[in-house]
Protein backbone atom coordinates (compact mmCIF):
# COMPACT_ATOMS: atom_id res chain seq x y z
CA UNK A 1 0.00 0.00 0.00
CA UNK A 2 1.35 3.41 -0.97
CA UNK A 3 0.02 6.75 0.24
CA UNK A 4 0.41 10.24 -1.16
CA UNK A 5 -0.58 13.13 1.08
CA UNK A 6 -1.24 16.61 -0.26
CA UNK A 7 -3.12 19.82 0.39
CA UNK A 8 -1.01 21.55 3.00
CA UNK A 9 -0.14 25.21 2.85
CA UNK A 10 -0.12 28.55 4.62
CA UNK A 11 -3.50 29.57 6.01
CA UNK A 12 -4.67 32.36 8.26
CA UNK A 13 -6.18 31.54 11.62
CA UNK A 14 -9.90 30.93 11.30
CA UNK A 15 -9.57 29.58 7.80
CA UNK A 16 -10.16 26.10 6.45
CA UNK A 17 -8.11 23.54 4.59
CA UNK A 18 -8.69 20.11 3.13
CA UNK A 19 -5.91 17.56 3.08
CA UNK A 20 -5.96 14.57 0.75
CA UNK A 21 -4.44 11.11 1.10
CA UNK A 22 -4.46 9.09 -2.10
CA UNK A 23 -3.94 5.36 -1.70
CA UNK A 24 -2.63 2.90 -4.27
CA UNK A 25 -1.58 -0.72 -4.31
CA UNK A 26 -3.59 -3.39 -2.52
CA UNK A 27 -6.46 -1.12 -1.52
CA UNK A 28 -8.61 -4.04 -0.44
CA UNK A 29 -6.13 -4.90 2.30
CA UNK A 30 -6.55 -1.57 4.08
CA UNK A 31 -8.39 -1.81 7.40
CA UNK A 32 -8.18 1.83 8.42
CA UNK A 33 -6.59 5.09 7.43
CA UNK A 34 -5.45 7.58 10.02
CA UNK A 35 -4.29 11.15 9.98
CA UNK A 36 -1.50 12.13 12.33
CA UNK A 37 0.24 15.42 12.90
CA UNK A 38 3.57 16.40 14.32
CA UNK A 39 4.15 19.94 15.49
CA UNK A 40 7.66 21.31 15.86
CA UNK A 41 9.31 19.87 18.94
CA UNK A 42 6.36 17.62 19.75
CA UNK A 43 5.52 13.98 19.34
CA UNK A 44 3.39 12.74 16.50
CA UNK A 45 -0.26 12.53 17.53
CA UNK A 46 -3.23 10.73 16.06
CA UNK A 47 -5.98 13.15 15.09
CA UNK A 48 -8.52 11.17 13.06
CA UNK A 49 -9.30 7.64 11.87
CA UNK A 50 -11.67 6.14 9.35
CA UNK A 51 -12.12 2.39 9.21
CA UNK A 52 -12.90 0.13 6.30
CA UNK A 53 -16.49 0.11 7.50
CA UNK A 54 -16.64 3.89 7.54
CA UNK A 55 -16.44 4.37 11.30
CA UNK A 56 -14.70 7.61 12.22
CA UNK A 57 -12.94 8.66 15.38
CA UNK A 58 -11.23 11.87 16.44
CA UNK A 59 -8.83 13.09 19.06
CA UNK A 60 -10.57 15.18 21.69
CA UNK A 61 -8.41 18.14 20.76
CA UNK A 62 -9.85 18.33 17.23
CA UNK A 63 -13.44 17.18 17.64
CA UNK A 64 -15.86 19.56 16.03
CA UNK A 65 -13.22 21.14 13.78
CA UNK A 66 -11.78 18.17 11.87
CA UNK A 67 -13.76 15.91 9.57
CA UNK A 68 -12.35 12.75 8.02
CA UNK A 69 -14.07 11.30 4.96
CA UNK A 70 -13.30 9.15 1.96
CA UNK A 71 -14.05 8.74 -1.71
CA UNK A 72 -13.94 5.03 -2.53
CA UNK A 73 -13.93 5.68 -6.27
CA UNK A 74 -10.85 7.89 -6.04
CA UNK A 75 -9.26 5.78 -3.27
CA UNK A 76 -8.71 8.98 -1.37
CA UNK A 77 -9.25 9.97 2.24
CA UNK A 78 -9.75 13.62 3.14
CA UNK A 79 -9.21 15.61 6.29
CA UNK A 80 -11.19 18.82 6.42
CA UNK A 81 -9.93 21.28 8.97
CA UNK A 82 -12.07 24.23 9.97
CA UNK A 83 -11.45 27.19 12.28
CA UNK A 84 -7.71 26.71 11.99
CA UNK A 85 -5.63 27.79 14.95
CA UNK A 86 -1.89 28.51 15.10
CA UNK A 87 -1.64 25.42 17.31
CA UNK A 88 -2.70 23.34 14.28
CA UNK A 89 0.62 24.14 12.62
CA UNK A 90 2.26 20.79 11.98
CA UNK A 91 3.28 18.28 9.38
CA UNK A 92 0.25 16.11 8.71
CA UNK A 93 0.75 12.47 7.80
CA UNK A 94 -1.67 9.83 6.66
CA UNK A 95 -1.14 6.18 7.47
CA UNK A 96 -2.84 2.98 6.42
CA UNK A 97 -3.17 -0.11 8.57
CA UNK A 98 -3.43 -3.14 6.33
CA UNK A 99 -3.60 -6.91 6.50
CA UNK A 100 -2.98 -8.79 3.29
CA UNK A 101 -4.08 -12.39 3.49
CA UNK A 102 -2.54 -13.67 0.21
CA UNK A 103 0.92 -12.49 1.25
CA UNK A 104 0.35 -13.01 4.98
CA UNK A 105 1.57 -9.51 5.77
CA UNK A 106 0.34 -7.02 8.32
CA UNK A 107 1.67 -3.56 8.60
CA UNK A 108 1.34 0.18 8.38
CA UNK A 109 2.24 2.40 5.46
CA UNK A 110 2.92 6.09 5.79
CA UNK A 111 2.49 8.97 3.40
CA UNK A 112 5.24 11.53 3.08
CA UNK A 113 3.56 14.29 5.09
CA UNK A 114 2.19 17.67 4.13
CA UNK A 115 2.95 20.88 6.01
CA UNK A 116 0.17 23.04 7.38
CA UNK A 117 1.17 26.45 8.68
CA UNK A 118 -1.40 28.64 10.39
CA UNK A 119 -0.61 32.31 10.79
CA UNK A 120 -2.16 34.36 13.54
Amino acid sequence: VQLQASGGGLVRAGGSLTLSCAASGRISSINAIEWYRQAPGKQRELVATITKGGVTNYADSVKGRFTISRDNIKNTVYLQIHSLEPEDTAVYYCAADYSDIPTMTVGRSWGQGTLVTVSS
Side-chain angles (χ1 to χ4, degrees), residues 41-108:
K42 295 188 177 181
Q43 289 189 330
R44 191 172 296 188
E45 66 168 331
L46 175 64
V47 295
T49 302
I50 187 165
T51 69
K52 192 171 189 175
V55 177
T56 59
N57 197 22
Y58 301 91
D60 288 342
S61 60
V62 305
K63 279 181 181 177
R65 296 193 302 117
F66 286 29
T67 303
I68 189 170
S69 62
R70 68 185 183 192
D71 183 327
N72 290 335
I73 295 175
K74 295 182 178 180
N75 293 326
T76 300
V77 170
Y78 303 97
L79 185 69
Q80 296 175 285
I81 310 174
H82 302 288
S83 302
L84 278 156
E85 304 168 351
E87 292 73 26
D88 295 319
T89 295
V91 178
Y92 285 72
Y93 300 89
C94 57
D97 291 329
Y98 63 88
S99 54
D100 189 41
I101 296 175
T103 59
M104 299 288 287
T105 57
V106 177
R108 171 174 289 178

Side-chain angles (χ1 to χ4, degrees), residues 5-9 19-20 35-36 90-94 111-117:
S6 62
L19 307 181
S20 300
W35 280 99
Y36 289 78
V91 178
Y92 285 72
Y93 300 89
C94 57
Q112 82 285 9
T114 184
L115 176 63
V116 174
T117 304

